[in-house]
């Protein structure tokens, strides 16, 4: 069996914003809501690739490098609870066209290279809580953060000693 890595393309949150969201989460949700995602693990996945060999990783990185996509603003002003997956997420009410086309391109490239892509439509989100309780209360609307996305990255997901860690392997700048 060839060695594989569990990979995904995602947008990182600027570190100060990670902290701001963590502080907001601490004051707007009770601790009993679920398992909070660590600040460093907050990200928005563009395309999940699954377990990928190093050859396929190189091909997908080469294709990602060829993407010509301008920087765009990402506004976080929406939240929801997915009862089945027990996830509470932060998202956007009006996704920038750049965000949708970047995800479309990465997902299409992944699919063409044999990485299974869910038939569900892309729903841009940042997972805030896992194992969320069914009756979790969501904060009232009115929160809003916005930042410019000027790059995306390829991440490796590793699970060790009870913790999930996401390591950036390569960064891909968007056009300014
Ligand atoms: P999630 O936060 O909604 O679980 C790393 O696991 C990232 O890839 C997470 O952002 C996760 O989304 C996303 N992802 C998408 N499809 C996945 C899948 N089939 N298995 C695991 N993670 C997936």
């Amino acid at each position: 069996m060839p060695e594989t890595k569990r990979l995904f393309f995602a947008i990182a949150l600027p570190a100060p914003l990670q902290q701001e969201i963590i502080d907001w989460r601490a004051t707007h949700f009770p601790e009993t809501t679920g398992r909070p995602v660590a600040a460093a693990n907050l990200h928005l996945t563009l395309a999940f690739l699954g377990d990928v060999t190093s050859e396929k990783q190189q091909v997908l990185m080469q294709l990602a490098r060829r993407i010509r996509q301008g920087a765009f603003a990402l506004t976080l002003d929406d939240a929801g609870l997915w009862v089945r997956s027990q996830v509470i997420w932060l998202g956007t009410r009006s996704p920038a066209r750049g965000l949708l086309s970047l995800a479309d391109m990465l997902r299409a490239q992944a699919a063409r290279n044999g990485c299974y892509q869910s038939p569900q439509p892309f729903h841009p989100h940042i997972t805030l809580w896992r194992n969320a309780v069914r009756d979790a209360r969501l904060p009232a609307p009115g929160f809003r953060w916005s930042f410019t996305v000027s790059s995306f990255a390829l991440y490796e997901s590793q699970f060790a000693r009870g913790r999930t860690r996401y390591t950036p392997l390569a960064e891909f700048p968007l056009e300014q």
Side-chain angles (χ1 to χ4, degrees):
M1 278 273 277
E3 210 176 293
T4 58
K5 287 180 180 159
R6 193 172 173 80
L7 302 178
F8 62 99
F9 286 107
I11 295 168
L13 266 59
L17 180 57
Q18 284 180 337
Q19 196 50 52
E20 226 181 286
I21 290 173
I22 292 297
D23 294 345
W24 171 82
R25 181 177 64 188
T27 54
H28 287 78
F29 292 88
E31 276 176 25
T32 51
T33 299
R35 187 160 55 83
V37 173
N41 280 359
L42 295 178
H43 66 276
L44 188 152
T45 293
L46 295 162
F48 179 72
L49 305 176
D51 294 325
V52 170
T53 61
S54 126
E55 287 76 25
K56 198 177 278 187
Q57 176 186 339
Q58 295 310 318
V59 171
L60 291 167
M61 283 172 51
Q62 185 68 29
L63 291 168
R65 260 185 228 113
R66 289 199 201 130
I67 290 177
R68 293 284 164 263
Q69 166 66 55
F72 52 85
L74 178 59
T75 299
L76 301 173
D77 56 0
D78 195 15
L81 164 66
W82 288 331
V83 172
R84 245 179 49 179
S85 52
Q86 297 181 284
V87 156
I88 291 176
W89 52 266
L90 209 51
T92 178
R93 285 164 194 269
S94 46
R97 199 177 303 168
L99 169 64
L100 298 179
S101 66
L102 179 58
D104 267 3
M105 284 186 274
L106 291 168
R107 285 157 62 97
Q109 289 173 347
R112 278 201 296 275
N113 283 278
C115 299
Y116 172 79
Q117 297 299 293
S118 156
Q120 307 269 13
F122 173 61
H123 186 291
H125 69 279
I126 293 164
T127 297
L128 276 186
W129 295 91
R130 295 195 184 277
N131 305 120
V133 292
R134 299 182 72 85
D135 57 353
R137 295 258 313 264
L138 296 173
F143 51 88
R144 187 181 192 278
W145 298 275
S146 197
F147 67 101
T148 302
V149 178
S150 49
S151 68
F152 65 98
L154 178 69
Y155 287 86
E156 178 178 8
S157 169
Q158 287 164 305
F159 186 76
R161 283 181 247 118
R163 276 168 190 252
T164 301
R165 179 200 289 229
Y166 302 134
T167 310
L169 301 181
E171 197 179 354
F172 305 87
L174 297 177
E175 293 182 325
Q176 295 302 312

